[in-house]
Amino acid sequence: MSYSYQIGSLEQYHEAYRKSVEDPEGFWAEIARTFTWKKPWDKVLEWNFKEPNVKWFIGGQLNITENCLDRHLESKADQPAIIWESNDPNEHHRVLTYRRLHFKVCQFAWVLKNNGVKKGDRVCIYMGMVPELAIAVLACARIGAIHSVIFGGFSAQSIADRLQDAKAEYIITCDGAYRGNKTIPLKPVIDDALVTCPFVKTVIVHTRTRTPVSMIKGRDLWWEDEINRVETQGNPDFPAETMDAEDPLFILYTSGSTGKPKGVVHSSAGYMIYTNYSFVNVFQNKPGDVHFCTADIGWITGHSYIVYGPLSAGATSLMFEGIPTFPDAGRFWAIVDKYKVNILYTAPTAIRSLMVFGTDFVTPYKLDSLRVLGTVGEPINEEAWHWYDEQIGKKRCPIVDTWWQTETGGILISNLAGVTPAIPAHATLPLPGVQPVLVDENGKEVKGNGVSGNLCIKFPWPSIIRTTYGDHERCRTTYFATYENMYFTGDGALRDEKGNYRITGRVDDVLNVSGHRIGTAEVENAINMHYGVVESAVVGYPHEIKGQGIYAYVIYSGKREDEELIRKDISATVSRIIGPIAKPDKIQFVTGLPKTRSGKIMRRILRKIAEGELQNLGDTTTLLDPAVVEEIKTGKQ
Ligand code: 6R9
C-alpha cells in the first residue's frame, strides 16, 4: 500500500497545510475515505471549545481493528506486523505476521467474550512489553471494550485509583515482567490493588516469568487456559463490533497540576485517522520498513506509534521488552542491526543515558539500515541532538523532533523526515490540520514571528482529547477554560523568525522526569502520607540524564537522628503510593516553606534554590516569613 496522502516535498507540505486550514473538513474527509468503514459518516465535524464538544465523522461506523488487521490480509498477510525482541537477547524473538496477529486478536476477543466482556466495558491492562499486550489492546478494540493500559511501574495504590475511576471490572495482567536483570512482579501488585476494588470480576493472567502467584478461584484465570477453551470451540473469526466514530477507544491516565491523574479519553475514528496520518508523514514510512519505537505501550507514545499508527498503516512495528542498557549500553544498536531497523523513535532521556557510556558501545554496529531518527517526550538539548545525529544517524538520517501529548493523541508539531527542514532542538512546524497559537499571560494572541508565549491550539484536529473519563467539567477547566476558544497545552514555546516552534517545557506544575509526566501535587500528597511529615513542596530541577529531577522540601516533625534513613523511608512511601518513577531525587528537610501572606507556597523561589541559583531569588518581600528562605538556602542539598 502506498499512501495517497503521504507528503513528499516541502511544496506539498505547504499545499497540504494551506488546504487543511482553508477547508479542514474536505481535507480530513479525503484522508478518511481511504479507510475501511462499516457505514460512511454523515457530517465531518461539529465542534465548540466552550463545553468542549468535538465530534469528527459523525454518523460513521467502523472498527479500528478492521483497519489495523483485516484490511491488510489481502496483500500483506505474510508481512510481519509485530516483531518482538525479548529482554534476553538469547531468547528466541517472535514474529507475528498480519495473518497471525489477526488470528491471535480474534482468539483473545473470544476469550473476552467468553468471560462476559461487552462493548463499552472498561478493561484495565497491566502487563510487560510482550506481544500479548498488543494482542490484548487490539482484542479490546475488536470487541468494543475500552482499554485502559497502566504502565508497569505504577504501584498498587495508583492502579486501585485508576480502577475505581474507570470502574473497570476486568483486568489483563502477567505474572511478572523481565526488565534488564530484574524480574518485576505484576500479578502480586494487582492483588494488592484489588483489596480496595471488590468490583473487579475477572483477572486474566498471561504467563511470562512463571513466578509463583496467587490465583483466586472464581476471579483469576490463566490466559493460556482460556485460549485452550477457545481452541476447543474451533477458533472462528471474531466479527468486529460496530463502533460509532465517536465511541471511546481507550482511556489513558496522565498527570496534571492537581493531585489526581486524569483519564484522557480518545475516540475510535478520529484517533485512528490522525495517528495513521501523522505516522505516515512524520516518519515517512515506506513499504517494508521496520519501525522501532522504544516507548512502553503503557504511555501514549506506545499506543500511537507502536500499535495503532503503524498497524493501521500496514507497517512493521518492532516491540522491545527490555531496557537500553541490558546486557550492555549497545542494546538498541544491536537491535537496529539485527532487524535492519529503518526508523528509530526514542526519548532524549534514553539518548542522554547512552551518551554517558561513550561511543565504544556504538562503534561495533553498522547502523546502516537507519533512515530516520525521532525523539519525543521532552525538549531535547543540543548536545544530545548532535550525538544522536553524528553517532547514530552518521549525519545522514533526518531527526524528527516530535512534540505532542497524551491529550493530543498524535504528533502535532514536528518536521517531516527529509521533507521539511530539521533544526536542532526545534519541533519546527505544525502538521497539516494543526493550528498553533502563542498567547501572553493575559490570554492575548501573540502574533508574528520571533515571539514567545503559552502554546495553544485554536482548531480541533481529529485525535484531540474528547473528555476526561467520568468528569467532563475537569476536561473543560483543565484545557479549555484558561484561554477562550483554545485548547491550552500547558507548554511554553518560542516561534522563531521563520515560524518554527521550539518547545521550552511545562509552564504549569507538571514535571517531566525521563519523559514521564508527574504532577508536583501528586508527589507532595504521597510524601505527606509518610509518618512524621507535616508538609512538603516539590519542584523540578535540571538533571543531566532525566531532563528534570524531583526536589522535595520536607517539614518533618519527628526526630531526625538518621536523616539518610528517613529520606529512604519517604522515598519508599512515594514508591508505594505512586510508583518508583515518582521517587524524589533530592529531599531537603526544612522547618518552614516560603509562603505568601495568603498561604500560597512560592514555588518560584524553591525552584531557583533547587536549581542552585541562590543569588537571584527575585522579590521575597511579600513572604510571610522571609527568614525561612535564608535557612533553606543554607541547607540546600
Ligand atoms: C508524547 C508525550 C507531554 C509533555 C508535553 C511536553 C513534553 C513531549 C516533546 C515535549 C519538547 C518535544 N514533550 N514531546 N517537549 N519537545 N518533542 O510525551 O506525551 O507523556 O503526555 O507528555 O511532554 O511538555 O506537554 P505526555
Side-chain angles (χ1 to χ4, degrees):
M1 183 167 72
S2 62
Y3 320 101
S4 56
Y5 43 85
Q6 191 169 46
I7 296 167
S9 67
L10 190 57
E11 297 73 56
Q12 281 176 20
Y13 162 76
H14 287 301
E15 173 57 23
Y17 191 81
R18 191 187 50 75
K19 183 162 186 223
S20 78
V21 174
E22 283 171 7
D23 176 18
E25 298 194 27
F27 177 81
W28 288 112
E30 201 178 309
I31 295 158
R33 271 194 282 276
T34 67
F35 289 77
T36 300
W37 294 82
K38 287 175 185 283
K39 173 181 170 290
W41 59 90
D42 306 315
K43 194 171 174 211
V44 179
L45 173 65
E46 235 175 61
W47 72 286
N48 73 69
F49 278 173
K50 214 171 179 54
E51 297 174 51
N53 177 18
V54 180
K55 292 197 172 93
W56 282 94
F57 310 106
I58 301 144
Q61 292 180 333
L62 79 166
N63 186 292
I64 195 169
T65 68
E66 288 189 333
N67 287 278
C68 287
L69 302 169
D70 305 58
R71 72 165 168 159
H72 306 312
L73 294 183
E74 207 174 298
S75 62
K76 306 189 160 173
D78 296 318
Q79 183 203 295
I82 293 179
I83 299 175
W84 177 77
E85 166 80 358
S86 83
N87 178 62
D88 175 354
N90 299 318
E91 185 184 328
H92 211 290
H93 69 277
R94 289 168 64 185
V95 176
L96 292 162
T97 60
Y98 272 97
R99 190 197 319 276
R100 189 82 187 139
L101 183 60
H102 174 267
F103 172 77
K104 293 250 175 202
V105 169
C106 285
Q107 240 188 355
F108 198 67
W110 280 113
V111 168
L112 294 175
K113 193 177 171 77
N114 284 343
N115 285 288
V117 179
K118 297 180 305 301
K119 176 176 175 176
D121 286 345
R122 277 80 52 220
V123 178
C124 160
I125 303 178
Y126 185 70
M127 300 171 84
M129 283 286 283
V130 286
E132 284 70 18
L133 165 52
I135 292 166
V137 161
L138 291 163
C140 286
R142 188 127 185 127
I143 199 167
I146 303 169
H147 57 77
S148 170
V149 184
I150 302 179
F151 175 64
F154 280 112
S155 68
Q157 181 66 52
S158 292
I159 296 168
D161 291 346
R162 287 157 173 75
L163 289 171
Q164 284 160 7
D165 190 78
K167 299 179 191 68
E169 294 176 331
Y170 303 93
I171 297 178
I172 307 165
T173 188
C174 296
D175 45 1
Y178 294 123
R179 276 179 70 78
N181 52 19
K182 290 197 198 126
T183 303
I184 315 273
L186 294 174
K187 173 66 165 56
V189 182
I190 291 291
D191 290 336
D192 286 348
L194 293 194
V195 172
T196 54
C197 301
F199 50 85
V200 171
K201 292 186 196 153
T202 303
V203 182
I204 301 174
V205 186
H206 177 258
T207 311
R208 174 62 183 130
T209 53
R210 198 55 193 101
T211 30
V213 290
S214 82
M215 292 292 285
I216 304 295
K217 199 186 297 162
R219 188 194 71 188
D220 299 347
L221 302 165
W222 289 110
W223 172 297
E224 296 74 17
D225 289 351
E226 293 305 297
I227 292 289
N228 286 340
R229 208 171 122 196
V230 173
E231 279 173 355
T232 55
Q233 288 165 346
N235 271 321
D237 185 10
F238 190 98
E241 181 68 40
T242 301
M243 305 297 284
D244 281 332
E246 281 297 320
D247 276 340
L249 174 64
F250 66 86
I251 305 171
L252 188 58
Y253 284 86
T254 189
S255 294
S257 42
T258 54
K260 220 176 88 190
K262 300 175 285 262
V264 172
V265 177
H266 280 291
S267 71
S268 298
Y271 175 82
M272 169 183 80
I273 287 159
Y274 195 81
T275 51
N276 175 290
Y277 181 79
S278 51
F279 170 77
V280 163
N281 282 299
V282 170
F283 302 105
Q284 291 287 307
N285 194 272
K286 305 263 182 294
D289 275 355
V290 176
H291 174 86
F292 178 20
C293 166
T294 71
D296 190 292
I297 294 178
W299 307 109
I300 191 68
T301 305
H303 280 61
S304 301
Y305 300 109
I306 295 178
V307 183
Y308 289 115
L311 298 182
S312 67
T316 297
S317 183
L318 196 149
M319 192 174 164
F320 173 42
E321 182 184 37
I323 57 171
T325 49
F326 179 81
D328 64 44
R331 187 65 189 278
F332 276 179
W333 325 128
I335 295 174
V336 167
D337 277 8
K338 181 170 173 187
Y339 300 102
K340 308 256 171 293
V341 169
N342 306 102
I343 303 165
L344 174 70
Y345 189 31
T346 193
T349 190
I351 299 167
R352 288 191 299 264
S353 72
L354 295 176
M355 275 168 71
V356 174
F357 291 90
T359 49
D360 286 359
F361 290 94
V362 183
T363 40
Y365 302 100
K366 296 222 287 276
L367 305 180
D368 56 351
S369 57
L370 286 173
R371 201 181 68 238
V372 174
L373 302 176
T375 94
V376 59
E378 56 184 309
I380 181 164
N381 49 311
E382 298 213 7
E383 197 191 347
W385 195 97
H386 287 293
W387 191 84
Y388 201 27
D389 182 38
E390 285 156 26
Q391 303 302 329
I392 308 307
K394 317 291 182 199
K395 294 196 97 125
R396 46 169 199 82
C397 303
I399 298 178
V400 288
D401 181 348
T402 65
W403 173 84
W404 58 297
Q405 311 176 296
T406 306
E407 296 86 343
T408 70
I411 298 164
L412 294 196
I413 305 182
S414 173
N415 49 316
L416 312 182
V419 171
T420 64
I423 308 172
H426 284 66
T428 72
L429 298 171
L431 265 68
V434 176
Q435 301 186 32
V437 284
L438 297 178
V439 291
D440 64 20
E441 57 277 21
N442 305 317
K444 253 191 75 175
E445 183 173 344
V446 195
K447 299 217 166 126
N449 287 340
V451 293
S452 65
N454 286 349
L455 179 63
C456 296
I457 318 283
K458 68 174 176 194
F459 194 86
W461 60 99
S463 62
I464 187 175
I465 177 177
R466 295 305 198 267
T467 189
T468 44
Y469 192 80
D471 191 353
H472 192 64
E473 178 59 10
R474 190 153 178 228
C475 173
R476 189 186 72 79
T477 52
T478 313
Y479 307 106
F480 298 93
T482 319
Y483 305 111
E484 207 178 328
N485 284 325
M486 290 188 210
Y487 165 81
F488 176 41
T489 63
D491 281 314
L494 312 172
R495 188 166 52 221
D496 74 8
E497 294 301 336
K498 292 191 166 150
N500 291 297
Y501 287 87
R502 175 178 194 148
I503 314 298
T504 47
R506 303 289 303 194
V507 295
D508 54 10
D509 289 325
V510 173
L511 306 179
N512 194 328
V513 181
S514 301
H516 301 152
R517 266 167 76 171
I518 300 171
T520 50
E522 250 178 287
V523 184
E524 286 164 7
N525 291 346
I527 293 177
N528 295 350
M529 286 174 75
H530 184 73
Y531 181 89
V533 171
V534 179
E535 199 181 354
S536 63
V538 165
V539 296
Y541 72 98
H543 187 289
E544 224 173 286
I545 308 280
K546 300 178 178 184
Q548 252 185 332
I550 301 180
Y551 197 115
Y553 299 89
V554 175
I555 305 178
Y556 190 81
S557 72
K559 270 220 203 96
R560 299 203 311 265
E561 269 159 14
D562 187 342
E563 290 202 348
E564 226 14 71
L565 187 58
I566 299 171
R567 286 198 182 95
K568 285 186 183 148
D569 288 346
I570 292 174
S571 284
T573 305
V574 174
S575 217
R576 175 71 59 193
I577 301 298
I578 307 176
I581 54 170
K583 279 203 277 196
D585 297 276
K586 291 185 180 176
I587 296 177
Q588 179 180 347
F589 293 108
V590 296
T591 57
L593 292 167
K595 289 191 179 173
T596 61
R597 280 173 232 277
S598 58
K600 269 189 93 174
I601 296 175
M602 295 266 277
R603 286 170 192 284
R604 175 177 57 80
I605 293 176
L606 294 176
R607 234 176 269 136
K608 286 250 155 115
I609 297 176
E611 284 164 10
E613 277 195 49
L614 303 183
Q615 309 311 322
N616 202 354
L617 296 183
D619 184 13
T620 55
T621 53
T622 53
L623 288 178
L624 197 58
D625 177 11
V628 343
V629 175
E630 288 312 308
E631 181 221 300
I632 296 177
K633 271 163 68 175
T634 327
K636 186 182 156 356
Q637 271 288 295

